[in-house]
C-alpha cells in the first residue's frame, strides 16, 4: 500500500507492544516526577521565598561600571614623554536617579553656563540607551565648576562627575600628523572586527601612531561593581577592578630635533624628514602647518573642522608621506647615478651649456640663462646644470631612468607603518602607453631627467633615497617606533631595521655622487652654500619644482608671483660627509628656491643635531658610533 | 511519489499543533520583551525569530507530508552529513566567544550541533529497530550505538559545547533504556559510569567547565563571576511572585542584570514578568506536549515509529528539563536552550522538525503494512 522506497515494515507485535507500553508508562511517571520537581521549585522560588527575591531585586542590583584605562604614553627616542594622560572631569546624569529631572537640569545649566536646550538635546539623543546608562552632559569642566557641583551634590540628584583619563600633549602640536589624535569611536568603527571589544563612547585612535598602535596603547578597562537601589543610588562598592594602563610607545623621533625643525619651518607650509641613514629610523617627521591636537580632545567642533578643510595651506595633509611634488633638481641624483652606472657618460666627459638646448622644435632652458659653459659630471651636479642632464637623460632614455628611480624607492610607497601614504610617480614608456594610450615623446624624457614632467615624489621618499645613496646603497624601510614597553618597564616589542634591498648602481658611482653633493654645499659655485656649517661637512642637493609652466609668470620674479603659482623649494642632504649619520630632506611649498628657502631649515636641524651630539659625548664618552653595514665602501 | 491519502487529513494531530502554537506565541512575545531594548544592526531579533518560525513551519509541513519510514533508508546518509557538518564547524566555523559552533551560510548561521541531536535520534531509532532484541541487549550489542553517539559527542564537546554533548548522552541513555537491556548490562554500565565521573572531572573537563559546576554547588562563593548568572536568574524568577511584574516590566531582564536573557535565560524573563501563574502555565504546557508525545509513541503503527517518537520526546524533554532546572538554580549553567522559547534559528528548526516527525507518526498510525 505504501510507495516503493519505503522499507518493508510490519505492524508491531502485540507481545512487544505490551512490553513497550509498560516502559512508556515508566517514562511517563519519570516525566511527571520531573515536572512536579520543577513546579515545586517554582513554588519555592516565587511563592515560598518570593518576597525575599523580590526584595533582592529591589536592592541587590549589581551595576557594573566601566572605568577607562589610562592610555599608554608616547615617548621620544631618549625616553622623554611627549604625550601622557591627565584626568578630565565630565558631568554625567542618570535619568533613573532623578525624581524631578526638569528642576535639576535647569539648575545644572546655570552652573555649567550652558543653555538648557543644549543639555536637553544631549538627553534626547541618548533616549535609546538603556535607562541606567548615564548621559554625558558636558565634557572637561574646569576646576571651579567641579567644586560647585560637588558642593551642591545633594540638590542635584542623578548628577555625577565622571573622571576620564585624557590625552595631555606636553609639547603642544609636536609631530601632530605622525602621532595622530583620539576621538570617540564612530558607529562605523564599532561594526569593524578589530573594535569588537569597544563600546560606544570609548576613545579610540583616529590617525597616525595613535590609530596604528591602538592595540598596544589602549590598556584594559577596569570595572566597578556597584550595588544600587531601585532609584539607581549607589549603595556600596562591591569590588573594584582597577583598569590596567596601556603600553608605552617609544618613538624614534627626537624631541629636540623635531622642535628645531618645527621652529625653523615657522609659518611656512611644507615638510621636514630626518632619517638615520644606517637604520631607517626617523628622527624628525614634521609637516606644517601642524594640527592643533588640543582641538581634537573631546571631539573637534564643526567650525574648527571646516576651517581646517578650507585652509589653503592644507594642514590636514601629512606632507611628509601624502604630499606629492615634482622633485625638481634633487632628481638629478637619480639621473646621475643611472648615467654613470650604465656607462652613458664618464665623469670626465663634458657637455657645453649655452643656457638652453634645442630639441625638436622646442627650446629647453637651463635655470642659468647665461649658461654654464663647459661642464663635467662633478660641476654639473654642484651647479645643477639643466642642459647637461637634458643631454645625459636623452642618451639614457626614460625607461633607464625609471629603472634606477624605482630601485631607489621612488614611484612606490616606502612601506612606513602609517595610513594613507602616497606612492609618488615615476613615468615610463609602458606606463604612458597604459595610462594615456599614447607613445612616449622624447622631449618628455628631458623633463624627467631634471625631475619635472610627470615625476612626483614625497619628502619621505627623497629622504630615504638620499640615505641609501650615502650608506652604501641599502634602502631601509622608514620606521618611527623603536619599541613598546609594558607599564612595568618590560620590553614587549622592538623594531629592528628592515632592509628593502639594494639600489642599483656601483659603489664607485655612489661615491662620485656623494662627492659632488658635498660640493653643492661647500664649493664656491654650489647651489646650497647657505647650508654650510663651520665644523661639519654637509652634502646635499637643492631642487626647485615648477608648479606651473614658467612662461605664465615670465617677467615676474620673487614675491610678485601669486603664492599658489610659486615654485616648491627642495633640499635633500646628509652629514657628516665623511661618515654619514643622518639624512635631512626639506620641502617648502611655494618656497621658490631650494637653496634659500629649504636650505636654512636643514642647516638649523644639523646645527641642533651636532650640538646635541657634542653635548651627549661630553657627558658620556663611551657613546658608540652607529655601526655601518659591512659592504660600506668609501673612496 | 506522494500518494495523497485522505485518512492522513483525518488524523491530523490538532492537539499537538495547538500546544505548539501556545508555546510558540509565548516564546515570541517573550523574545520581544527581552530584546526590544537591544541596539542591534539589522532586523530586530523578534522579527528574525518570527522568520525562523515561518521557515520552520514550512520544514514541518514538508516532513509531515513524507512517510517517516523513508528515514530507514536515509538514516546513514543523514548521519554522515551530520558528522561532516560538525567537522566543518570545528575546522572553519565562526568563532563566537571562544567556541567554534557556527557555520556561516550567508543568510543564516547554522549551528550544526542542533540538527545533530535530531539526527542522532533518527540514527539510534533505525539501529534499534533493525537489531533484534531477543533477550535484551548485552554489553557488546551496545558498542555500535555507543560509537554512533560517541563520535558526534566528541566533535561537539571539542567546540567546546559540553551541554549539547551531554544532551546526546542523555538521548542515548534514554533510548537504550527504552529498548530492552539485560539487568547485568545495566548494572555494569551503572558501575562503569560512576567510576568514570572522577576521571572525566580531572582530565576531560576544561577549567571553566569545572568552575561552573563548582559555582553551581556554591554560587555565593563567586557572586560576580560565574555565580552571577545563577544568582541573577534566581532573583529574576523568584521576584516574579504569583502574578509577575507585568509584561516588559521585569527589572532584572530589562535593566540588563540577566545575562543571555533572550537565549539560555529566556525563561527567567518570562517567570519574572508573569510570575508563578505564567511560569507554571508554561511548564505544564511543555510537559503536556511531552506526555502527548509519549502517547503518540505508543500508538504508532510500527516499532520504528515507537522508537522514533520516543527519541524525539526524549530530545525535547531533556532540553526543557535541563534548561528549566538550570535557570531555577537546580543544575549548573551548561548552555542548553529551551525549545521554542530560547532565541536561535538552528535550535528552533531542529525542534520544529522533531515535532513534525511526531505529527507524521501520529497521522500514519492507522496505515496498513506494505
Amino acid at each position: 500500500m505504501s510507495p516503493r522506497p519505503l522499507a518493508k515494515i510490519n505492524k508491531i507485535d502485540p507481545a512487544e507492544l505490551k512490553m513497550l507500553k509498560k516502559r512508556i508508562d515508566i517514562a511517563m511517571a519519570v516525566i511527571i516526577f520531573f515536572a512536579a520537581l520543577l513546579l515545586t521549585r517554582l513554588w519555592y522560588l516565587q511563592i515560598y521565598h518570593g518576597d525575599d527575591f523580590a526584595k533582592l531585586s529591589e536592592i541587590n542590583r549589581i551595576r557594573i561600571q566601566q572605568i577607562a584605562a589610562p592610555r599608554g604614553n608616547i615617548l621620544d627616542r631618549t625616553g622623554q614623554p611627549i604625550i601622557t594622560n591627565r584626568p578630565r572631569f565630565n558631568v554625567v546624569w542618570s535619568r533613573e536617579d532623578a525624581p524631578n529631572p526638569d528642576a535639576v537640569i535647569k539648575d545644572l545649566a546655570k552652573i555649567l553656563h550652558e543653555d538648557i536646550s543644549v543639555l536637553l538635546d544631549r538627553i534626547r539623543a541618548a533616549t535609546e540607551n538603556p535607562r541606567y546608562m548615564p548621559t554625558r552632559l558636558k565634557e572637561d569642566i574646569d576646576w571651579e565648576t567641579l567644586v560647585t557641583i560637588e558642593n551642591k551634590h545633594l540638590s542635584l540628584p542623578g548628577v555625577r562627575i565622571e573622571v576620564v583619563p585624557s590625552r595631555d600633549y606636553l609639547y603642544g602640536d609636536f609631530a601632530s600628523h605622525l602621532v595622530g589624535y583620539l576621538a570617540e569611536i564612530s558607529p562605523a568603527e564599532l561594526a569593524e572586527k578589530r573594535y569588537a571589544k569597544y563600546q560606544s563612547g570609548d576613545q579610540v585612535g583616529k590617525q597616525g601612531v595613535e590609530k596604528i598602535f591602538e592595540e598596544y596603547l589602549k590598556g584594559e578597562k577596569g570595572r566597578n561593581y556597584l550595588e544600587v537601589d531601585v532609584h539607581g543610588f549607589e549603595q556600596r562598592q562591591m569590588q573594584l577592578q582597577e583598569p590596567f594602563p596601556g603600553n608605552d610607545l617609544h618613538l624614534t623621533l627626537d624631541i629636540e630635533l623635531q622642535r628645531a625643525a618645527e621652529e625653523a619651518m615657522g609659518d611656512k607650509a611644507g615638510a621636514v624628514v630626518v632619517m638615520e641613514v644606517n637604520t631607517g629610523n626617523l628622527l624628525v617627521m614634521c609637516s606644517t602647518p601642524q594640527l592643533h591636537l588640543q582641538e581634537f580632545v573631546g571631539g573637534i567642533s564643526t567650525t574648527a573642522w571646516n576651517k581646517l578643510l578650507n585652509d589653503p595651506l592644507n594642514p590636514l595633509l601629512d606632507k611628509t608621506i601624502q604630499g606629492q611634488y615634482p622633485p625638481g633638481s634633487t632628481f638629478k641624483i637619480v639621473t646621475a647615478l643611472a648615467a654613470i652606472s650604465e656607462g652613458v657618460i664618464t665623469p670626465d666627459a663634458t657637455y657645453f651649456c649655452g643656457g638652453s638646448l634645442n630639441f625638436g622644435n622646442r627650446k629647453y632652458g637651463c635655470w642659468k640663462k647665461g649658461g654654464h659653459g663647459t661642464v663635467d659630471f662633478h660641476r654639473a651636479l654642484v651647479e645643477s646644470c639643466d642642459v647637461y642632464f637634458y643631454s645625459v637623460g636623452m642618451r639614457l632614455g626614460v625607461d633607464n631612468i625609471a629603472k634606477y628611480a624605482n630601485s631607489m624607492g621612488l614611484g612606490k610607497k616606502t612601506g612606513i607603518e602609517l595610513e594613507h601614504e602616497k606612492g609618488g610617480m615615476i613615468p615610463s614608456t609602458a606606463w604612458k602607453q597604459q595610462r594615456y594610450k599614447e607613445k612616449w615623446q622624447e622631449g618628455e624624457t628631458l623633463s624627467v631627467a631634471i625631475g619635472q614632467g610627470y615625476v612626483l615624489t614625497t619628502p619621505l621618499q627623497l629622504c630615504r633615497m638620499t640615505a641609501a645613496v650615502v650608506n652604501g646603497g641599502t634602502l631601509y624601510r622608514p620606521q618611527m617606533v623603536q619599541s613598546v614597553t609594558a607599564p612595568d618597564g618590560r620590553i614587549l616589542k622592538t623594531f629592528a631595521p628592515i632592509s628593502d634591498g639594494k639600489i642599483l648602481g656601483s659603489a664607485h658611482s655612489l661615491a662620485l655622487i656623494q662627492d659632488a653633493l658635498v660640493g653643492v654645499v661647500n664649493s664656491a659655485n654650489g647651489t646650497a652654500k647657505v647650508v654650510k656649517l663651520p665644523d661639519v661637512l654637509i652634502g646635499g642637493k637643492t631642487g626647485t619644482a615648477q608648479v606651473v609652466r614658467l612662461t605664465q609668470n615670465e617677467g615676474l620674479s620673487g614675491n610678485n608671483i601669486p603664492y599658489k603659482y610659486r615654485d616648491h623649494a627642495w633640499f635633500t642632504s646628509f652629514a657628516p660627509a665623511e661618515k654619514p649619520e643622518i639624512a635631512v630632506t626639506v620641502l617648502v611649498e611655494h618656497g621658490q628656491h631650494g637653496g634659500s628657502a629649504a636650505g636654512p631649515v636643514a642647516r638649523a636641524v644639523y646645527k641642533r643635531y651636532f650640538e646635541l651630539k657634542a653635548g651627549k659625548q661630553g657627558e658620556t664618552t663611551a657613546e658608540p658610533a652607529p655601526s655601518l653595514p659591512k659592504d660600506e665602501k668609501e673612496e | 511519489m506522494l500518494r495523497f491519502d485522505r485518512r492522513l487529513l483525518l488524523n491530523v494531530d490538532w492537539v499537538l499543533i495547538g500546544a505548539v502554537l501556545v508555546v510558540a506565541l509565548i516564546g515570541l512575545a517573550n523574545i520581544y520583551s527581552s530584546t526590544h531594548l537591544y541596539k542591534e544592526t539589522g532586523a530586530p531579533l523578534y522579527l528574525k525569530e518570527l522568520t525562523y518560525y515561518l521557515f520552520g513551519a514550512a520544514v514541518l509541513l514538508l516532513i509531515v507530508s513524507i512517510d517517516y519510514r523513508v528515514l530507514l533508508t536515509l538514516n546513514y546518509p543523514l548521519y554522515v552529513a551530520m558528522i561532516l557538518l560538525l567537522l566543518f564547524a570545528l575546522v572553519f566555523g565562526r568563532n563566537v566567544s571562544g567556541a567554534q559552533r557556527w557555520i556561516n551560510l550567508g543568510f543564516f548561521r547554522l549551528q550544526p550541533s542542533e540538527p545533530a541531536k535530531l539526527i542522532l535520534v533518527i540514527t539510534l531509532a533505525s539501529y534499534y529497530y533493525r537489531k533484534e532484541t531477543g533477550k535484551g541487549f548485552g554489553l557488546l550489542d551496545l558498542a555500535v550505538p555507543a560509537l554512533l553517539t560517541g563520535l558526534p559527542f566528541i566533535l561537539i564537546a571539542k567546540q567546546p559545547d559540553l551541554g549539547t554533548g551531554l544532551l546526546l548522552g542523555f538521548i542515548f541513555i534514554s533510548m537504550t533504556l527504552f529498548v530492552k537491556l539485560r539487568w547485568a548490562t545495566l548494572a555494569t554500565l551503572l558501575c562503569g559510569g560512576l567510576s568514570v565521573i572522577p576521571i572525566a572531572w580531572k582530565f576531560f573537563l576544561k577549567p571553566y567547565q569545572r568552575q561552573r559546576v563548582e559555582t553551581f554547588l556554591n554560587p555565593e562563593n563567586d557572586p560576580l563571576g560565574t555565580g552571577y548568572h545563577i544568582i541573577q536568574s534566581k532573583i529574576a524568577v523568584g521576584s516574579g511572585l504569583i502574578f509577575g511584574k507585568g509584561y516588559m516590566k521585569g527589572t532584572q531582564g530589562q535593566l540588563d542584570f540577566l545575562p543571555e536573557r533572550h537565549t539560555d535565560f529566556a525563561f527567567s524573563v518570562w517567570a519574572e514578568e508573569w510570575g508563578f501563574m505564567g511560569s507554571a502555565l508554561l511548564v505544564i504546557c511543555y510537559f503536556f506536549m511531552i506526555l502527548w508525545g509519549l502517547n503518540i509513541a505508543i500508538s504508532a503503527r510500527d516499532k520504528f515509529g515507537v522508537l522514533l517518537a520516543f527519541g524525539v520526546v526524549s530530545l525535547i524533554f531533556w532540553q526543557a528539563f535541563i534548561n528549566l532546572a538550570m535557570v531555577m538554580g537546580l543544575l549548573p549553567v551548561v548552555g542548553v536552550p529551551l525549545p521554542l522559547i530560547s532565541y536561535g534559528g538552528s535550535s528552533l528548526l531542529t525542534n520544529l522538525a522533531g515535532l513534525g516527525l511526531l505529527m507524521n507518526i501520529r497521522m500514519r498510525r492507522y496505515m496498513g503494512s506494505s
Side-chain angles (χ1 to χ4, degrees):
Chain A
M1 183 159 181
S2 300
R4 266 268 299 126
L6 295 183
K8 231 173 164 355
I9 193 162
N10 292 320
K11 278 209 166 181
I12 212 154
D13 167 54
E16 202 171 14
L17 184 67
K18 210 176 147 196
M19 189 195 74
L20 288 172
K21 231 175 186 152
K22 219 173 87 191
R23 297 216 191 110
I24 289 273
D25 288 342
I26 298 173
M28 284 195 175
V30 170
I31 285 170
I32 289 171
F33 168 77
F34 277 126
L37 182 72
L38 290 177
L39 287 173
T40 313
R41 178 67 173 177
L42 274 177
W43 169 82
Y44 175 83
L45 288 175
Q46 300 188 299
I47 297 173
Y48 186 71
H49 273 305
D51 289 332
D52 300 338
F53 284 116
K55 229 175 266 163
L56 276 180
S57 90
E58 287 296 297
I59 60 156
N60 181 27
R61 297 182 178 182
I62 302 167
R63 182 184 289 170
I64 302 172
Q65 219 175 51
Q66 292 197 324
I67 310 167
R71 224 172 147 77
N73 300 314
I74 297 182
L75 310 114
D76 93 330
R77 68 170 182 152
T78 59
Q80 280 206 66
I82 304 168
I83 300 173
T84 55
N85 299 292
R86 69 177 169 85
R88 192 154 62 109
F89 302 99
N90 298 333
V91 181
V92 297
W93 183 67
S94 310
R95 264 175 291 177
E96 226 188 335
D97 301 354
N100 186 9
D102 293 343
V104 173
I105 296 298
K106 220 166 143 185
D107 283 354
L108 192 63
K110 254 181 238 155
I111 300 171
L112 296 177
H113 306 293
E114 283 281 3
D115 199 80
I116 191 157
S117 65
V118 176
L119 302 186
L120 289 176
D121 278 349
R122 287 206 168 192
I123 291 169
R124 226 166 282 136
T127 43
E128 287 293 304
N129 291 344
R131 278 180 62 84
Y132 65 86
M133 219 165 107
T135 313
R136 215 174 266 176
L137 293 184
K138 185 161 184 174
E139 279 98 8
D140 206 6
I141 54 170
D142 57 31
W143 188 250
E144 207 175 313
T145 317
L146 174 72
V147 172
T148 316
I149 290 177
E150 288 293 337
N151 284 341
K152 293 195 175 173
H153 178 72
L154 286 178
S155 64
L156 294 172
V159 176
R160 274 192 306 114
I161 299 295
E162 172 192 61
V163 188
V164 195
S166 85
R167 276 314 204 192
D168 197 7
Y169 298 97
L170 301 180
Y171 293 89
D173 307 333
F174 179 89
S176 51
H177 291 90
L178 181 100
V179 296
Y181 60 92
L182 295 178
E184 204 162 287
I185 191 162
S186 69
E189 283 168 326
L190 273 173
E192 279 177 48
K193 210 175 167 190
R194 64 179 285 204
Y195 297 118
K197 281 188 176 168
Y198 289 72
Q199 290 186 328
S200 69
D202 285 354
Q203 294 281 309
V204 66
K206 290 277 182 177
Q207 229 189 32
V209 166
E210 291 267 34
K211 179 170 184 189
I212 287 156
F213 294 92
E214 172 75 24
E215 219 14 66
Y216 288 117
L217 289 167
K218 71 176 196 305
E220 291 286 338
K221 279 188 205 163
R223 278 153 175 264
N224 196 359
Y225 294 85
L226 297 169
E227 210 178 82
V228 292
D229 72 2
V230 71
H231 301 298
F233 285 109
E234 291 170 17
Q235 298 298 294
R236 68 190 171 103
Q237 188 182 55
M238 297 188 70
Q239 190 188 333
L240 178 68
Q241 248 174 43
E242 291 283 358
F244 196 72
N247 302 309
D248 291 349
L249 209 59
H250 297 259
L251 300 182
T252 58
L253 296 195
D254 188 302
I255 287 189
E256 294 295 328
L257 224 48
Q258 175 86 19
R259 288 176 76 193
E262 287 172 0
E263 245 164 60
M265 284 299 280
D267 53 6
K268 287 180 279 215
V272 183
V273 179
V274 178
M275 184 189 269
E276 282 183 343
V277 300
N278 292 309
T279 59
N281 285 347
L282 295 163
L283 302 185
V284 171
M285 279 289 266
C286 164
S287 172
T288 55
Q290 283 161 293
L291 294 172
H292 300 300
L293 292 175
Q294 203 58 46
E295 285 182 8
F296 291 87
V297 174
I300 187 165
S301 69
T302 325
T303 41
W305 179 253
N306 283 335
K307 211 177 131 218
L308 284 175
L309 273 180
N310 297 325
D311 191 324
L313 300 184
N314 209 350
L316 287 175
L317 189 79
D318 183 351
K319 299 183 178 69
T320 57
I321 57 168
Q322 296 166 354
Q324 304 184 100
Y325 312 88
S329 297
T330 57
F331 194 74
K332 286 173 185 164
I333 297 174
V334 179
T335 312
L337 181 65
I340 292 277
S341 303
E342 292 291 303
V344 166
I345 44 161
T346 62
D348 305 326
T350 58
Y351 284 90
F352 181 78
C353 168
S356 67
L357 179 84
N358 287 312
F359 183 83
N361 41 19
R362 238 196 91 182
K363 193 171 145 188
Y364 290 83
C366 186
W367 67 269
K368 195 170 175 184
K369 296 223 169 54
H372 288 94
T374 306
V375 283
D376 63 1
F377 177 78
H378 187 85
R379 219 185 125 209
L381 263 180
V382 169
E383 296 180 27
S384 201
C385 173
D386 291 336
V387 168
Y388 179 91
F389 283 99
Y390 290 147
S391 319
V392 165
M394 222 156 30
R395 295 181 62 177
L396 269 169
V398 68
D399 289 339
N400 259 332
I401 298 177
K403 189 171 81 182
Y404 278 82
N406 288 332
S407 89
M408 296 163 99
L410 304 181
K412 59 187 177 223
K413 294 179 183 176
T414 65
I416 187 173
E417 215 174 325
L418 282 174
E419 288 184 316
H420 314 303
E421 190 193 359
K422 290 282 192 324
M425 176 71 232
I426 296 297
S428 65
T429 51
W431 166 80
K432 194 175 177 198
Q433 190 61 45
Q434 201 200 340
R435 176 81 170 71
Y436 293 107
K437 310 264 177 280
E438 269 175 37
K439 237 188 118 216
W440 183 265
Q441 304 292 317
E442 279 295 300
E444 292 171 326
T445 309
L446 270 57
S447 302
V448 169
I450 61 158
Q452 293 289 159
Y454 297 112
V455 188
L456 290 174
T457 57
T458 65
L460 180 64
Q461 284 177 329
L462 275 193
C463 187
R464 179 183 185 221
M465 174 193 97
T466 310
V469 167
V470 300
N471 73 7
T474 307
L475 200 60
Y476 284 104
R477 174 95 45 93
Q479 297 199 84
M480 70 279 176
V481 181
Q482 272 182 338
S483 61
V484 180
T485 58
D488 59 12
R490 232 166 356 106
I491 294 175
L492 298 177
K493 188 172 176 168
T494 53
F495 296 79
I498 302 169
S499 161
D500 284 326
K502 285 278 193 185
I503 63 176
L504 292 175
S506 61
H508 173 65
S509 38
L510 287 175
L512 279 175
I513 288 169
Q514 203 174 322
D515 191 41
L517 295 182
V518 174
V520 171
V521 179
N522 298 289
S523 70
N525 292 325
T527 53
K529 280 178 297 180
V530 287
V531 183
K532 196 173 168 179
L533 277 178
D535 317 319
V536 189
L537 212 51
I538 297 170
K541 182 76 197 79
T542 55
T544 305
Q546 284 171 21
V547 177
V548 287
R549 285 266 151 75
L550 265 182
T551 45
Q552 200 168 329
N553 299 304
E554 202 94 60
L556 293 175
S557 73
N559 295 339
N560 297 326
I561 306 172
Y563 177 78
K564 64 177 176 175
Y565 296 132
R566 291 180 204 165
D567 295 342
H568 297 314
W570 279 106
F571 185 62
T572 187
S573 59
F574 59 91
E578 311 80 43
K579 201 173 193 184
E581 290 170 14
I582 57 169
V584 178
T585 301
V586 179
L587 169 91
V588 178
E589 278 190 356
H590 311 292
Q592 311 227 53
H593 298 296
S596 57
V601 177
R603 188 177 193 272
V605 172
Y606 283 119
K607 199 162 165 264
R608 194 84 191 98
Y609 177 81
F610 289 106
E611 275 169 16
L612 286 170
K613 206 179 150 194
K616 214 185 284 167
Q617 270 170 355
E619 291 160 25
T620 54
T621 40
E623 173 86 357
S627 60
L628 293 170
K630 284 194 182 84
D631 50 0
E632 169 93 350
K633 279 180 211 141
E634 278 194 82
E635 289 177 35
Chain B
M1 274 280 293
L2 264 179
R3 213 138 20 108
F4 182 73
D5 195 318
R6 203 178 292 156
R7 275 180 305 174
L8 286 179
L9 266 189
L10 289 175
N11 286 309
V12 167
D13 190 347
W14 296 109
V15 176
L16 186 56
I17 290 177
V20 170
L21 271 178
V22 170
V23 175
L25 287 175
I26 289 178
L28 278 172
N30 195 50
I31 283 174
Y32 180 78
S33 168
S34 55
T35 62
H36 71 283
L37 282 180
Y38 281 14
K39 275 187 291 174
E40 290 274 337
T41 43
L45 292 181
Y46 69 95
L47 280 184
K48 280 193 189 164
E49 182 78 353
L50 184 62
T51 320
Y52 298 146
Y53 257 111
L54 295 177
F55 191 60
V59 170
L60 189 144
L61 273 178
L62 183 77
I63 288 175
V64 164
S65 62
I66 302 169
D67 195 310
Y68 63 91
R69 282 169 291 177
V70 183
L71 291 174
L72 275 174
T73 50
L74 283 181
N75 64 325
Y76 284 114
L78 278 172
Y79 184 81
V80 172
M82 160 187 85
I83 296 295
L84 289 179
L85 274 177
L86 286 174
L87 273 173
F88 187 85
L90 209 54
V91 181
F92 303 105
R94 201 185 135 104
N95 194 318
V96 175
S97 54
Q100 304 269 112
R101 290 183 196 171
W102 281 272
I103 297 175
N104 201 338
L105 302 178
F107 60 97
F108 182 67
R109 268 174 30 206
L110 179 71
Q111 197 179 348
S113 58
E114 289 295 331
K117 299 170 184 169
L118 189 58
I119 291 172
L120 181 74
V121 166
I122 294 168
T123 310
L124 291 177
S126 316
Y127 179 83
Y128 285 137
Y129 167 71
R130 290 205 188 93
K131 190 95 183 163
E132 263 316 313
T133 4
K135 283 184 196 140
F137 283 123
L139 213 49
L140 273 179
D141 302 316
L142 288 181
V144 175
L147 216 71
L148 288 172
T149 311
L151 195 53
F153 171 83
I154 289 169
L155 290 177
I156 291 171
K158 230 172 155 86
Q159 287 178 349
D161 182 357
L162 194 62
T164 309
L166 283 178
L167 201 68
L168 296 190
F170 280 125
I171 292 170
F172 168 69
I173 292 170
S174 310
M175 290 183 72
T176 308
L177 286 176
F178 185 59
V179 298
K180 203 174 173 187
L181 269 194
R182 281 191 209 128
W183 280 111
T185 317
L186 193 60
T188 324
L189 286 178
L190 220 59
C191 296
L194 285 178
S195 60
V196 156
I197 289 175
I199 298 169
W201 175 261
K202 194 126 197 236
F203 298 105
F204 188 71
L205 289 188
K206 301 213 153 111
Y208 84 91
Q209 289 165 334
R210 272 205 294 272
Q211 198 189 3
R212 273 190 190 173
V213 179
E214 274 163 6
T215 307
F216 161 69
L217 296 174
N218 207 346
E220 276 71 22
N221 274 355
D222 185 14
L224 302 171
T226 38
Y228 184 81
H229 289 44
I230 294 180
I231 294 174
Q232 293 301 342
S233 176
K234 270 162 74 178
I235 293 176
V237 174
S239 64
L241 301 175
I242 298 182
F243 297 106
K245 295 176 185 168
Y247 184 53
M248 311 224 294
K249 291 194 180 122
T251 50
Q252 288 288 108
Q254 305 294 334
L255 296 181
D256 254 0
F257 291 105
L258 258 183
E260 318 265 346
R261 62 177 191 261
H262 63 297
T263 55
D264 289 356
F265 287 90
F267 181 80
S268 317
V269 174
W270 178 258
E272 184 186 18
E273 298 183 351
W274 295 90
F276 182 74
M277 302 308 269
S279 6
L281 172 80
L282 185 53
V283 170
I284 290 169
C285 235
Y286 251 114
F287 281 86
F288 172 76
M289 212 160 76
I290 289 162
L291 291 175
W292 189 260
L294 285 183
N295 185 27
I296 290 174
I298 203 59
S299 56
R301 67 167 291 286
D302 50 56
K303 195 181 167 196
F304 178 57
V306 176
L307 288 171
L308 192 59
F310 183 83
V312 171
V313 168
S314 75
L315 165 66
I316 294 175
F317 166 73
W318 283 117
Q319 290 181 90
F321 177 74
I322 293 174
N323 178 281
L324 290 171
M326 172 182 95
V327 303
M328 292 179 201
L330 288 173
L331 279 180
V333 177
V334 282
V336 170
L338 186 58
L340 310 187
I341 301 282
S342 290
Y343 174 83
S346 304
S347 157
L348 184 59
L349 288 181
T350 304
N351 286 305
L352 284 177
L355 290 164
L357 280 180
L358 282 182
M359 291 177 195
N360 188 335
I361 295 164
R362 179 66 158 193
M363 281 161 74
R364 288 177 175 80
R365 64 184 157 152
Y366 296 123
M367 306 278 272
S369 58
S370 47

